[in-house]
Amino acid sequence: MIFCKTTEYALRIMSYMAMNEKKLYSANNIYENLRIPFRYLRKQLTILSKSGLIFSVQGKNGGYRLSKNLSEISLLDIIHAAGDNQIYNECFFGFQSCAFKKKCALHYKWEVVIESINNVLISTTLEELKKTGTPDCISKNSLIFTKNK
Amino acid sequence: MIFCKTTEYALRIMSYMAMNEKKLYSANNIYENLRIPFRYLRKQLTILSKSGLIFSVQGKNGGYRLSKNLSEISLLDIIHAAGDNQIYNECFFGFQSCAFKKKCALHYKWEVVIESINNVLISTTLEELKKTGTPDCISKNSLIFTKNK
DNA sequence: TTTAAATAATACCTGGAGGTATCATTTATG
DNA sequence: CATAAATGATACCTCCAGGTATTATTTAAA
Ligand code: SF4
Ligand code: SF4
């Protein structure tokens, strides 16, 4: 699945919030739509707030709102904001670095894969996602995971 | 890093053993070259044996040997043999399946990435790896991780 | 000014991946 | 046949991602 759950959650949340960049989304609202375990969701939202990609408004009628333009938030930004510092290493076998001139059969093949991943993550912004309306898809999909608060 | 450690270990082990398909490799030999934590390595070797990709010879001078032709062992085979049942899901957000006609902006973009991963895993066999001599690279690289038995 | 609805902080619980430790079994060889 | 060198089986340890629980703080609005 490539991303860890927490990162996936962050991607879902941010994509959902991209629906309406002006709106203040409460944790409750997000929970109702994404069905991410409530208390964990709350925790992640504060983490995302601290990252600066969104900001929070406390008190009654509070919530969260994007703090940048959609076009200024890439998927990679979100991944980092979620605290996922995983680097998409280029060695297929997971070695830190290859000290050898002669590369194995996988080296270049895999480099292409890694680059295509990074390319998607860097070049795709929330703006692009909004156009095709992901969040709707997301919220409906998540109804599969029926959980109680 | 895409693969879990255990899977990485399996890939390293099998690639190393592909160097000489006739040879019986002892756990000690593999340890000396790959520096995978010894007892864990032992455990993984028995798992790989049970999977059928390699077989073990017990007793003095025993060890492990590939039980198929190099061309018959793909990277995906190895991953499965290592007990890694992860399916390379096509939904970027990690949803099980998309019940919607209208796909989000990431759907096709990501499908391409996933397919390229699966393509490498399915189409690359140990035969191909042997040609370029990965194992040497692997063994030298692993000396970085100096551990004691 | 009190209350209720929201977020913040903090500490704890849990399962499973990765790693250890110990003992049992197999077998070549002197 | 005794020994040493190998693998097999099993049980345990440890850390951390993911998830819970509790209490504190902020603020709109009745
Ligand atoms: S040559 Fe192969 S083993 Fe060495 S760094 Fe590249 S992918 Fe990894
Ligand atoms: S359309 Fe988007 S959210 Fe829906 S399954 Fe495809 S990638 Fe996932």
Side-chain angles (χ1 to χ4, degrees):
Chain A
M1 209 174 285
I2 297 199
F3 306 114
C4 63
K5 267 215 159 71
T6 306
T7 297
E8 267 179 19
Y9 289 164
L11 290 164
R12 293 177 191 182
I13 293 168
M14 294 296 288
S15 301
Y16 175 63
M17 290 178 68
M19 259 183 118
N20 186 341
E21 47 192 313
K22 305 296 177 199
K23 182 168 171 180
L24 207 57
Y25 289 91
S26 70
N28 262 293
N29 175 321
I30 297 173
Y31 170 75
E32 291 306 332
N33 284 279
L34 300 187
R35 299 279 157 172
I36 294 165
F38 189 68
R39 290 159 197 271
Y40 197 57
L41 169 64
R42 289 281 312 283
K43 207 197 248 176
Q44 290 314 120
L45 283 168
T46 9
I47 288 174
L48 287 176
S49 294
K50 284 181 179 162
S51 83
L53 284 195
I54 62 177
F55 68 92
S56 70
V57 173
Q58 290 194 48
K60 194 166 179 178
N61 301 331
Y64 305 87
R65 183 187 296 136
L66 297 184
S67 52
K68 293 182 176 185
N69 285 334
L70 293 183
S71 65
E72 292 169 336
I73 303 178
S74 73
L75 297 176
L76 194 61
D77 292 334
I78 298 171
I79 292 172
H80 288 154
D84 184 342
N85 294 314
Q86 164 153 20
I87 291 160
Y88 291 97
N89 198 331
E90 286 181 9
C91 177
F92 178 83
F93 295 99
F95 292 121
Q96 310 303 327
S97 65
C98 189
F100 302 88
K101 312 90 209 162
K102 188 180 176 190
K103 306 299 185 189
C104 77
L106 276 167
H107 193 89
Y108 300 106
K109 266 189 172 181
W110 198 243
E111 204 169 33
V112 171
V113 168
I114 295 296
E115 277 175 5
S116 79
I117 293 177
N118 284 320
N119 183 49
V120 170
L121 299 183
I122 291 168
S123 73
T124 311
T125 67
L126 288 182
E127 190 178 32
E128 188 177 341
L129 269 171
K130 186 181 185 182
K131 286 189 198 143
T132 48
T134 339
D136 182 49
C137 173
I138 286 179
S139 71
K140 287 187 187 163
N141 253 313
S142 9
L143 292 180
I144 297 168
F145 314 113
T146 335
K147 287 275 171 82
N148 47 358
K149 221 171 168 183
Chain B
M1 207 175 286
I2 297 202
F3 305 115
C4 63
K5 266 216 160 66
T6 306
T7 298
E8 268 180 19
Y9 289 164
L11 290 164
R12 293 178 190 182
I13 293 167
M14 294 296 288
S15 302
Y16 176 62
M17 291 177 68
M19 258 184 120
N20 186 341
E21 46 193 313
K22 306 294 176 199
K23 182 170 172 180
L24 208 57
Y25 290 90
S26 70
N28 262 293
N29 177 321
I30 297 173
Y31 169 76
E32 290 305 332
N33 284 279
L34 302 186
R35 299 280 156 172
I36 294 165
F38 188 68
R39 290 159 198 271
Y40 197 57
L41 170 65
R42 292 275 315 281
K43 207 198 247 177
Q44 292 313 121
L45 283 169
T46 8
I47 288 175
L48 287 176
S49 293
K50 285 181 180 164
S51 82
L53 284 195
I54 62 178
F55 68 92
S56 71
V57 174
Q58 291 194 48
K60 195 168 179 176
N61 302 331
Y64 305 86
R65 183 188 295 137
L66 297 184
S67 51
K68 293 182 176 186
N69 285 332
L70 293 182
S71 65
E72 291 168 336
I73 303 178
S74 72
L75 298 175
L76 194 60
D77 292 334
I78 297 171
I79 291 172
H80 287 153
D84 184 343
N85 295 313
Q86 165 154 18
I87 291 160
Y88 291 97
N89 199 331
E90 287 181 9
C91 176
F92 178 83
F93 295 97
F95 292 122
Q96 308 303 328
S97 64
C98 189
F100 303 88
K101 311 92 211 163
K102 187 179 175 191
K103 306 299 184 188
C104 78
L106 277 166
H107 193 89
Y108 299 106
K109 267 189 174 183
W110 198 243
E111 204 170 33
V112 171
V113 169
I114 295 295
E115 275 174 7
S116 78
I117 293 177
N118 284 320
N119 183 48
V120 170
L121 300 183
I122 292 168
S123 73
T124 310
T125 67
L126 288 182
E127 190 177 31
E128 188 177 342
L129 269 172
K130 186 182 184 180
K131 285 188 200 144
T132 50
T134 336
D136 181 51
C137 173
I138 285 179
S139 72
K140 288 187 188 164
N141 253 313
S142 7
L143 292 181
I144 298 168
F145 314 114
T146 335
K147 286 272 171 82
N148 47 357
K149 218 169 167 184

